[in-house]
Amino acid sequence: MNFAVIGTNFVTDWFLDAAANCPDFTLAAIYSRTEERAREYAKRRNAENVKFFTSLDELARDKSIDAVYVASPISEHCGQVITLLDGGKHVLCEKPVAQNSRELRRMFDAAARNKVVLLEAMRPAFLPALTAIRESMTKIGKIRHASILFCQYSSRYDRFKAGERINAFNPELGGGALTDLGVYCIQVCLYLFGVPKAIHSVHSTIPNSIDGTGVISARYGEMTADLIFSKVSDTHNFSEIQGEDGTVRFRNPNDLAEVYILRRGEKDFTPVEFEKSEHDMIYELNTFVSAAKNPKNAEYYNNYSIETVKIIEEVKKL
């Protein structure tokens, strides 16, 4: 498939590093606001013979492009994605795919109307580690509580504090701790436990900027879950799923790189083995390529995207 990419940041770098291991992927075009920036990125990526676009409409009309990876700010997703879908392009869009349910419905309607696929690039949803966690949960008895953490001091926060205008801390672009990091906690929780019966939430806001930290408490009848996220502080703790007969823990809900289990009566956590890739975005890319051939392969994941946006909307109202 001939791909274009929108976005020239480190996330696109990760995606292209993974794509190098996908035989169905060819980088055919780069979109940016200026051709100079697009050419600079192509040079950095050693990308030869690619097309450059500064007009989204021209990209959408180009029949040689089959699919587009979108890694622009969240505020741009809806308009860009619908234009691309209407141009007959399959779209793999970075998380969160939309700012609200209304946008997401318009995007999925456009995909259906044009008989193409829209898939959210939510990395943990596609990882073998998620299956390993689910299987481990069957060994720890009745689940009583989960604590899912993603607290990571932003590499750009010091520049923001020094007075620099940083996109990641610009509320007009739809970012923030909830949509940047909390969304991972939400989706992992949904994939493991389903839709909660009720949620409560608190957050803190950086003056004249985004939400910096947040906590979502979810109720699931006989179990509870706390989702804790921050862009202005670090955690060195693991996320945990606590059962009556043991505990499963994992590091970072965005990549689930380490999973461990401790059964009641044992002294030490045991590592859980599962398939790993150095460039783990390959799993979402392979799923997307498969869904482009058979759109039904995207429905399972799209349902979780819908529920995630609903929770984000609810949290923003609290």
Side-chain angles (χ1 to χ4, degrees), residues 182-222:
V183 65
Y184 288 112
C185 301
I186 293 170
Q187 276 228 10
V188 168
C189 190
L190 285 172
Y191 273 98
L192 294 177
F193 307 112
V195 179
K197 297 180 181 298
I199 65 169
H200 301 281
S201 178
V202 294
H203 70 275
S204 67
T205 301
I206 303 168
N208 302 314
S209 184
I210 58 169
D211 54 302
T213 66
V215 179
I216 300 171
S217 293
R219 181 169 57 84
Y220 285 92
E222 294 187 277

Side-chain angles (χ1 to χ4, degrees), residues 85 104-114:
L85 295 170
L104 187 55
R105 179 45 52 201
R106 289 178 57 209
M107 295 158 79
F108 281 141
D109 285 348
R113 180 172 67 245
N114 293 286

